[in-house]
Amino acid sequence: MTLDQLIALDAIVATGTFRAASERLNKAQSAVSHQIRKLEAELQFDLFSRETYRPSLTPEGEIYFREATRVLEQVHRLQSVAAGLRSEQEPSISIAVTATTSLDPVLSLLGTIRERYPGTSIHVASEMMGGPLARLMEGSADMIIAGLEGVPIDDVETLPFGTITIRPVASPDFPAAHRPGIRSRREMQGYTQVIVSGTGGQDFDQSRDVLSGGHHWTVSDFEAKKTIIKAGLGWGGLPEHLMKDELRSGALVPLRVDGFPTRHTEIFAIRRRDYPMGKVMSDIWAELETAH
C-alpha cells in the first residue's frame, strides 16, 4: 500500500463518490479508481461496494478505513512537524476567537508564548457568529477558537478547548420575566429579541437562536446586547461568563423560552491542515495538546 492510495481512500469516503474525490485530489477519476483497485488487489478484499451510484464501504472496508485514518492523521502530524523544523520564527500570528467564549484562557496561553518568542507579533480578534470560521477559511487567521458548526472537519485539525453556556435572560422588570414557567414562542414574538450580528459575511452567516417572526434589535457585540437587555428593552441569550455578576445580583434573570433552552457548546482550537505551522504556532498547538 502507498500513501497516495490511503489519501484516495480518504477522499472517496469524505466526498461520497469517485468523481468528487478525483476533483478534490485534482486527479483523473480513472487514476483514483486504479489506485483503489490496486490497493484492493493487494489486500485481497473489496473496500467498496459498487452496487449503487454512491460507493459504500464494505464491512472489511470500514475496519480498514478506520485504521487508515489514524495513519493519515500521523502523516499530517509529521508533515506539520517537518514544516515547523524547516521554518523560522514567524513575524506574526493571528488568532480569531468566538466572542461567546472568555479570552482569559487564551491570553494565559499567549502570555507564555510571548515570553518565549518576543519577536513575534500576536494578533487576537474577537469575532461574532461565523466570523472565526470565515477568517480561518480565507487564510487571515492561523488558528481559531470556536465551535464546530459549519466547520469542514476533513480540512482541519481540532483540539478541545472548553465549553460555553449561553442562556436566555431578561431584566427582572421585563414583562416576560414577571411570572415563572415556560414562555411560548408565540408569546415571545411579541417582545423584542436582541441579537448580535455576525462578522463572517453571507457565506458564514449563522442564525441559531433567532426567533423567527419576532421583532429584533441587532447590535455589534455582546456588551451592547447585555446593556440593552439590562435596560429592559429586550431579551436574548448571553454567554454565562459575561453575566455572572448580573445573575448573582438579580440585575438579569433567566428566561425559560420554548425552543430556546440553555445551550452548552463545546469549543475547539481549530487550524487548517493545508497550512504548515511555523515554530510559534507549533508551540501553541503543543501547549494546547498538553493542556487537554
Side-chain angles (χ1 to χ4, degrees):
M1 72 189 70
T2 67
L3 178 59
D4 284 343
Q5 289 170 339
L6 297 183
I7 292 173
L9 171 63
D10 181 63
I12 295 167
V13 175
T15 61
T17 65
F18 281 79
R19 179 178 179 179
S22 66
E23 292 174 353
R24 173 172 174 167
L25 299 174
N26 197 26
K27 292 183 177 181
Q29 182 175 339
S30 59
V32 174
S33 297
H34 176 72
Q35 285 180 320
I36 296 301
R37 291 197 178 280
K38 189 174 180 180
L39 177 58
E40 289 177 324
E42 179 183 345
L43 298 174
Q44 299 183 22
F45 59 78
D46 288 340
L47 292 167
F48 291 100
S49 171
R50 298 171 175 82
E51 297 177 355
T52 59
Y53 169 72
R54 300 182 70 87
S56 58
L57 288 169
T58 62
E60 296 85 356
E62 289 182 357
I63 297 172
Y64 186 82
F65 174 70
R66 185 165 60 244
E67 297 301 318
T69 55
R70 297 177 183 175
V71 173
L72 289 173
E73 190 70 32
Q74 290 300 315
V75 169
H76 289 309
R77 180 62 52 82
L78 282 172
Q79 290 171 336
S80 293
V81 169
L85 293 172
R86 290 193 304 268
S87 71
E88 299 295 333
Q89 179 178 332
E90 303 98 309
S92 67
I93 59 170
S94 179
I95 299 173
V97 183
T98 176
T100 56
T101 194
S102 171
L103 281 177
D104 290 346
V106 180
L107 298 180
S108 176
L109 166 65
L110 295 182
T112 301
I113 295 298
R114 184 187 62 177
E115 294 178 1
R116 197 176 300 165
Y117 299 100
T120 295
S121 298
I122 301 176
H123 304 279
V124 180
S126 180
E127 299 277 354
M128 308 295 168
M129 309 300 283
L133 180 57
R135 302 293 86 78
L136 182 71
M137 300 316 294
E138 71 187 16
S140 61
D142 299 290
M143 182 183 78
I144 65 174
I145 307 294
L148 293 181
E149 182 179 4
V151 174
I153 296 298
D154 293 330
D155 300 329
V156 301
E157 285 187 76
T158 65
L159 290 172
F161 192 81
T163 304
I164 59 170
T165 298
I166 297 178
R167 62 176 72 248
V169 293
S171 162
D173 298 326
F174 195 68
H178 286 173
R179 57 187 176 85
I182 299 177
R183 307 275 76 80
S184 70
R185 295 174 68 92
R186 177 172 294 182
E187 176 185 351
M188 296 307 295
Q189 285 174 341
Y191 302 119
T192 298
Q193 181 183 10
V194 187
I195 60 176
V196 176
S197 59
T199 56
Q202 185 175 357
D203 291 341
F204 296 92
D205 188 29
Q206 296 180 11
S207 58
R208 180 191 290 184
D209 296 340
V210 176
L211 183 64
S212 60
H215 184 240
H216 303 137
W217 276 16
T218 303
V219 296
S220 61
D221 58 70
F222 280 105
E223 282 299 329
K225 181 175 183 176
K226 183 172 73 171
T227 299
I228 292 172
I229 294 173
K230 284 176 63 177
L233 299 178
W235 70 279
L238 286 173
E240 202 165 58
H241 75 274
L242 288 180
M243 56 176 179
K244 286 183 178 179
D245 292 341
E246 287 80 5
L247 289 174
R248 189 180 301 114
S249 68
L252 291 174
V253 296
L255 283 180
R256 297 175 64 194
V257 180
D258 179 34
F260 290 79
T262 296
R263 177 159 53 85
H264 306 283
T265 301
E266 297 295 324
I267 298 297
F268 295 82
I270 306 169
R271 62 172 297 273
R272 286 175 55 166
R273 292 184 186 277
D274 59 342
Y275 273 41
M277 292 189 290
K279 290 185 182 299
V280 181
M281 270 305 305
S282 294
D283 262 20
I284 291 175
W285 201 255
E287 291 282 350
L288 289 168
E289 285 183 309
T290 302
H292 294 86

